[in-house]
Amino acid sequence: MVKRPLFAAAALLAVVCCIISTFFPDVFSRTPQLPDRTSVFITGEVSKVVRKEYADQVYLRKASVMFSGNDSYTEWENIAAVVTFDSPEDDADIPKTGNIMSGECIFREFKTAGNYGNYDEWEYYYSNGIDMLADNVNMQITDHRTDIYRQFLNDLRNRLTESVYNAAGDDETAGILTAICTGDRSGLTEESRTMYRRSGIAHVLAVSGLHISMLGMTLFRLLRKKLRFAFSAVISGVFMVSFCIMSGSSPSAVRAVIMFLIQLLAAGLGKTYDILCAMSSACIILLISEPRNITNSAFILSFCAILGAGLLNETAAAWAQPRSRFGKSILMSLCITMTTVPVTAGLYYELPLYSIFINVVVIPLMSIVLGSGMLSSAAGLISTLSGRFMMGAGAYLVRLISMICGIAESLPFSIIVTGNTGAARTIIYYVLLAVCMFLMKITVRGISSERTALPKTALKRRAVRKAAAAAVISAVLVMVLFLDFRSGTLNMVFIDVGQGDCILLESPAGSVYMIDAGSSTVSNPAGSRISGALKYRGISSVDYMFITHPDTDHCSGVLEMIGSTGSGNEGSLPEIRCILMPSMPDNETCNEIKRAAALKGINVIELHKGMEITDGALRIKCIHPAAEYKSDDINDCSAVLDIRYGDFSALLTGDLEKDGEVLIMDELRTDMPEGNYDVLKVAHHGSKNSTSSEFLELVMPDIAVISSGRNNKYGHPHKETVERLETSGARIYNTQNEGEIIITADGDGIKSIETKR
């Protein structure tokens, strides 16, 4: 720290920005405090335009936002806004970089995630320095002045992208190549994104330090063969700055360009280039220009990777002293992995086990892929034929890398679901890692003189001891970060799936039960809501999947998880080991579930009254329907589950309505928990046709949970149901308001209730 004051300053600035962003986020944000869907007048300069299939997003910088109410006038200055426009029919109508736009818009509140582990719109835009979102009403270009330089780079990027698509041969390969070469990720398929992320090489799909160092140093060395140092440095520096702007100026790319320029400056001044000082300078510049970068995942991963490559690898290499190039590559990959593991687990709640080895294979290939792609895209500007000729091995290597990723993903334990590691564990992990580095530095002292004096057998024994020590250190760090300390409690989680039901039970023994998984308002609920919520809790599979009845809002996620919907992302979804559902032989959805389950080798069990699962002190009992029960109303066929864990009790009623309630009341009178039920899952999302006063008088729940979607077309929960619940004295929780609802119970009853919102 004393030798590197810049490093200490950068670390201090990062800590301050992190604390403010965590506890006082409004300090860095200028989001107008307005109700959702408020009409405002916006004036701002176009910084970029993102074209999408059905709409365009226009990014405005230095915008002013004006709101005129009945008795007030408010104006916000220097706002970074994203305005959504309908895609114009004529490309000539697309705004250009530098244009000034003004007009009426509808202010839109950021959507916050309903579940832990789900995409949060507010967090995403906050981390990217965006203050507000709006939908266009009648915005017009009021000043056609254009930022010629940036617009040229934007047009060039579009032309290069088109050139790659003409040369690559297929859209999937072209999408990967354009992401690698130009930073344009719009053509990436969801399958490609997921596959590269789950293989631990998603960083190659974003323009980052890898791309900047390859392109920048290659260009500089080529220029040095013909030109003086100063000319070579200036030309390569300008080129890399332009490339960074063209590719979108992500924090990782900006960091890499700053470090590249510092490297050139150090060489020009005859100074020693210090990677940590350069990294610290980049960190300070990025955080001063936009403090919210501290929450940006690309920023965090980029700097953690540099710490691994520059600080940890330097110490580990002096300690381990690898001789072969392969050994050095493995050590470098391991060091980067060690410094990025907590961040990766914190962002995605899973780790690719074989990423160290995949990176050792893939990174050397990237110079060929990048070079081939850049040459092909440039040549394609002249003619498609020359673009295809220059593509050479690039497209084939992309397909090879995709094949390697596919093979790795099919191997056992390829993905380890870690769950949310939490801030405390992450801090302890990095403290222990710093201690390990300190101990390695101590043991390195005097090692050079000893090495020459020791015989080969002693050197081999030392190498074995070091390998064993490294394994022990790694094991301890992994245990600190990921070891699951179970507390002997039952967790009941009501997952927010919009208009639908999904209830998770985690037993004290570690078994996972799920009751329903579906939505009528959220497409692909398993991928967009349920999977993230489960991964956040460290869950990769469901032992028992209960389907109360086969309505879409109760089973669409199940169909998605077992591959019936053909969503293409089944490999990243939780595995189901057993399905239990009432027998409905004439129901097509039930039959579809059975067929899809049979193809996956999943056992399907007929669920009926009297069936019971015992898991230690946990008991799950089905009290409806009877095996012979028939009804024209599918809702009254809903399975009803009675949950007991010591003195804790819960009643889960599916979409049961009045006739069904009458049937189960006799059963409940014979086996009621002492006093009343702690938790009632309100039937049919709070419909007025369910949860009668007579039923509530018998059940007398302390907590009533309603699972329904915001602004749903049915008006759930109905006012009549809410009034009956209030009269019964129950505390009401609703996923449309509270988001995910987590009830933790021990053997004595409810221990805690936590909500996402």
Side-chain angles (χ1 to χ4, degrees):
M1 288 288 189
V2 176
K3 294 181 181 178
R4 291 180 171 122
L6 269 177
F7 184 80
L12 179 61
L13 179 60
V15 169
V16 170
C17 289
C18 186
I19 291 172
I20 294 175
S21 291
T22 302
F23 298 104
F24 313 101
D26 291 342
V27 171
F28 296 143
S29 176
R30 296 175 293 276
T31 301
Q33 301 303 306
L34 292 169
D36 191 31
R37 312 308 298 174
T38 299
S39 178
V40 294
F41 190 89
I42 300 179
T43 300
E45 178 186 335
V46 177
S47 60
K48 69 175 179 179
V49 178
V50 177
R51 309 226 52 199
K52 298 194 174 182
E53 188 174 359
Y54 299 109
D56 292 346
Q57 287 185 322
V58 177
Y59 285 66
L60 301 175
R61 68 189 188 99
K62 298 179 181 179
S64 64
V65 179
M66 290 165 279
F67 166 71
S68 180
N70 293 330
D71 302 312
S72 63
Y73 172 83
T74 310
E75 183 172 354
W76 294 267
E77 296 287 348
N78 203 25
I79 297 292
V82 177
V83 182
T84 301
F85 286 73
D86 293 332
S87 296
E89 295 181 2
D90 189 348
D91 287 352
D93 296 330
I94 300 171
K96 298 186 182 300
T97 306
N99 288 171
I100 303 298
M101 300 193 72
S102 297
E104 183 185 357
C105 294
I106 300 298
F107 171 82
R108 182 165 69 79
E109 284 186 339
F110 291 113
K111 296 175 183 176
T112 56
N115 304 296
Y116 293 104
N118 286 181
Y119 167 75
D120 191 296
E121 189 177 64
W122 178 85
E123 289 181 357
Y124 172 78
Y125 281 107
Y126 181 89
S127 69
N128 283 280
I130 301 299
D131 299 305
M132 66 168 284
L133 302 178
D135 296 326
N136 174 50
V137 176
N138 61 2
M139 285 197 81
Q140 303 290 331
I141 298 173
T142 56
D143 189 335
H144 286 81
R145 281 180 295 181
T146 303
D147 186 329
I148 298 174
Y149 172 59
R150 288 179 178 270
Q151 186 60 41
F152 166 76
L153 293 175
N154 182 63
D155 293 340
L156 178 62
R157 174 179 173 175
N158 293 335
R159 292 181 64 193
L160 291 173
T161 296
E162 183 181 355
S163 180
V164 170
Y165 270 87
N166 291 333
D170 65 88
D171 286 352
E172 185 173 356
T173 302
I176 295 171
L177 278 167
T178 52
I180 292 171
C181 297
T182 69
D184 184 355
R185 296 162 62 92
S186 61
L188 278 175
T189 63
E190 189 59 38
E191 290 79 7
S192 295
R193 292 173 189 264
T194 302
M195 181 172 61
Y196 274 62
R197 176 177 59 79
R198 288 169 65 85
S199 298
I201 58 169
H203 57 90
V204 306
L205 297 177
V207 173
S208 61
L210 177 67
H211 303 68
I212 301 300
S213 59
M214 283 182 182
L215 284 176
M217 292 313 298
T218 299
L219 177 62
F220 176 73
R221 286 167 185 155
L222 288 173
L223 292 172
R224 280 291 288 137
K225 292 180 179 181
K226 298 291 183 181
L227 301 175
R228 293 180 180 179
F229 177 89
F231 288 112
S232 302
V234 169
I235 292 171
S236 56
V238 170
F239 179 84
M240 294 319 301
V241 169
S242 300
F243 179 75
C244 177
I245 295 171
M246 183 189 75
S247 65
S249 302
S250 69
S252 56
V254 174
R255 186 272 307 160
V257 167
I258 292 172
M259 293 180 68
F260 174 72
L261 295 176
I262 291 173
Q263 186 176 9
L264 293 179
L265 181 63
L269 297 175
K271 303 292 184 180
T272 301
Y273 173 70
D274 183 82
I275 189 172
L276 289 180
C277 287
M279 180 203 74
S280 302
S281 301
C283 179
I284 291 170
I285 292 170
L286 280 166
L287 289 180
I288 289 177
S289 63
E290 178 50 82
R292 287 176 285 187
N293 275 324
I294 196 66
T295 64
N296 186 286
S297 59
F299 176 94
I300 299 168
L301 281 169
S302 180
F303 280 95
C304 284
I306 289 297
L307 284 172
L311 190 61
L312 181 57
N313 184 64
E314 177 186 301
T315 305
W319 179 72
Q321 296 183 333
R323 296 184 178 182
S324 67
R325 180 177 294 181
F326 178 75
K328 291 176 181 178
S329 297
I330 287 288
L331 182 62
M332 172 71 82
S333 185
L334 177 63
C335 288
I336 293 174
T337 300
M338 294 292 281
T339 52
T340 56
V341 154
V343 180
T344 304
L347 290 171
Y348 304 113
Y349 318 115
E350 62 184 15
L351 290 174
L353 188 60
Y354 307 119
S355 63
I356 294 174
F357 307 103
I358 297 174
N359 274 284
V360 169
V361 174
V362 168
I363 289 178
L365 299 178
M366 288 308 299
S367 58
I368 303 174
V369 172
L370 184 59
S372 174
M374 295 298 291
L375 288 172
S376 173
S377 59
L381 298 177
I382 301 171
S383 73
T384 301
L385 184 62
S386 59
R388 289 175 181 170
F389 176 77
M390 296 302 296
M391 178 62 73
Y396 294 103
L397 286 178
V398 165
R399 296 185 186 106
L400 175 63
I401 292 169
S402 297
M403 186 179 73
I404 291 171
C405 293
I407 293 172
E409 198 170 355
S410 66
L411 294 175
F413 310 110
S414 60
I415 297 294
I416 306 299
V417 176
T418 61
N420 180 44
T421 52
R425 287 191 181 190
T426 301
I427 292 170
I428 294 171
Y429 174 93
Y430 281 122
V431 169
L432 290 177
L433 188 60
V435 170
C436 291
M437 285 179 55
F438 177 73
L439 294 176
M440 282 191 286
K441 281 182 176 290
I442 292 176
T443 58
V444 164
R445 294 173 185 172
I447 196 170
S448 299
S449 58
E450 289 182 21
R451 189 177 183 87
T452 57
L454 289 173
K456 288 185 177 180
T457 54
L459 288 173
K460 287 182 180 179
R461 285 197 297 270
R462 170 181 281 179
V464 171
R465 287 197 298 270
K466 287 183 176 180
V472 171
I473 291 170
S474 300
V476 170
L477 289 171
V478 168
M479 288 175 64
V480 166
L481 198 58
F482 304 125
L483 195 62
D484 185 12
F485 300 99
R486 294 202 172 269
S487 57
T489 57
L490 172 70
N491 295 316
M492 177 177 284
V493 184
F494 295 84
I495 298 174
D496 177 13
V497 288
Q499 184 67 12
D501 267 12
C502 184
I503 305 167
L504 171 70
L505 285 178
E506 288 183 277
S507 80
S511 301
V512 177
Y513 306 86
M514 185 169 282
I515 298 89
D516 288 331
S519 176
S520 60
T521 58
V522 176
S523 59
N524 300 326
S528 61
R529 299 285 182 97
I530 300 168
S531 178
L534 265 60
K535 285 178 182 177
Y536 181 89
R537 306 186 70 83
I539 297 171
S540 59
S541 61
V542 176
D543 296 302
Y544 295 94
M545 179 76 234
F546 293 87
I547 301 174
T548 60
H549 64 295
D551 276 352
T552 298
D553 57 343
H554 291 255
C555 70
S556 61
V558 180
L559 289 165
E560 190 183 345
M561 283 187 268
I562 61 179
S564 177
T565 60
S567 62
N569 62 346
E570 293 83 15
S572 62
L573 299 178
E575 174 191 358
I576 295 176
R577 293 176 177 165
C578 180
I579 295 175
L580 301 96
M581 61 181 182
S583 176
M584 298 183 190
D586 297 329
N587 185 277
E588 180 53 35
T589 304
C590 282
N591 294 329
E592 183 182 353
I593 291 171
K594 290 177 182 178
R595 288 193 297 268
L599 291 174
K600 287 291 185 75
I602 301 170
N603 191 25
V604 179
I605 299 173
E606 180 182 329
L607 181 64
H608 57 77
K609 177 180 177 180
M611 291 183 65
E612 187 174 309
I613 294 176
T614 303
D615 183 0
L618 173 66
R619 188 201 77 176
I620 303 173
K621 182 180 179 181
C622 179
I623 62 173
H624 181 77
E628 66 281 2
Y629 180 79
K630 303 292 181 185
S631 175
D632 293 333
D633 187 347
I634 196 172
N635 289 331
D636 278 331
C637 295
S638 291
V640 179
L641 301 177
D642 184 299
I643 314 294
R644 306 287 176 91
Y645 177 59
D647 291 337
F648 171 79
S649 59
L651 188 64
L652 312 180
T653 54
D655 275 0
L656 199 70
E657 296 194 336
K658 288 182 179 179
D659 291 344
E661 287 177 357
V662 172
L663 286 174
I664 68 168
M665 286 172 70
D666 288 339
E667 175 71 20
L668 292 174
R669 289 188 182 96
T670 62
D671 190 24
M672 277 285 293
E674 185 175 343
N676 60 344
Y677 277 95
D678 294 301
V679 177
L680 169 68
K681 200 292 290 188
V682 178
H684 205 175
H685 321 289
S687 167
K688 62 185 178 182
N689 298 321
S690 300
T691 319
S692 65
S693 298
E694 296 78 12
F695 180 76
L696 287 173
E697 287 174 7
L698 176 63
V699 176
M700 294 177 60
D702 292 329
I703 305 295
V705 179
I706 301 171
S707 182
S708 61
R710 286 185 172 181
N711 303 316
N712 65 82
K713 64 181 181 180
Y714 309 102
H716 292 159
H718 291 149
K719 180 182 177 182
E720 299 92 326
T721 305
V722 173
E723 290 175 349
R724 291 196 292 266
L725 288 168
E726 290 173 343
T727 301
S728 74
R731 280 186 289 161
I732 303 171
Y733 291 84
N734 192 335
T735 56
Q736 67 175 249
N737 300 322
E738 281 84 20
E740 181 179 325
I741 300 162
I742 306 165
I743 299 174
T744 303
D746 55 20
D748 298 324
I750 294 176
K751 186 178 180 181
S752 65
I753 301 176
E754 179 186 356
T755 62
K756 175 63 175 68
R757 296 193 183 106

